Amino acid sequence: GRTVLETEQPIGGLAVSRDGTRIAYVTGFLDARRRARFSLMVQPLAAGAAPMAIVLREGEHVLSPAF
C-alpha cells in the first residue's frame, strides 16, 4: 500500500470520485474560541498530486463530502 494523504488535523469525512481519480475530504478543529473550523479539500490520486482547498462561504460547514 501507499499513503494517499497526510494531515495534521483529524479527517471528519471522506469521499472517492466515481471514476476513482480524486478524493474529497473534510478536516476540522476547534479554534481558540472553541468554535469549529472546517476545511474542504479535493486531491487527485495521481502520484505526487497536491490537495486543493475549496473555499467555503462564511458560516458554511461541509461535514460529508460527495461527488
Side-chain angles (χ1 to χ4, degrees):
R2 69 179 181 128
T3 302
V4 175
L5 67 97
E6 292 183 21
T7 177
E8 293 180 12
Q9 299 172 351
I11 296 174
L14 177 72
V16 179
S17 65
R18 290 179 191 233
D19 62 6
T21 61
R22 296 171 293 156
I23 59 172
Y25 59 96
V26 175
T27 61
F29 68 96
L30 294 177
D31 67 12
R33 295 171 69 180
R34 310 232 4 115
R35 292 182 297 187
R37 298 292 182 189
F38 298 98
S39 297
L40 173 61
M41 309 296 285
V42 174
Q43 179 174 336
L45 289 176
M52 297 170 282
I54 305 300
V55 178
L56 301 176
R57 294 183 203 133
E58 182 68 31
E60 186 174 28
H61 302 288
V62 176
L63 301 177
S64 297
F67 284 93

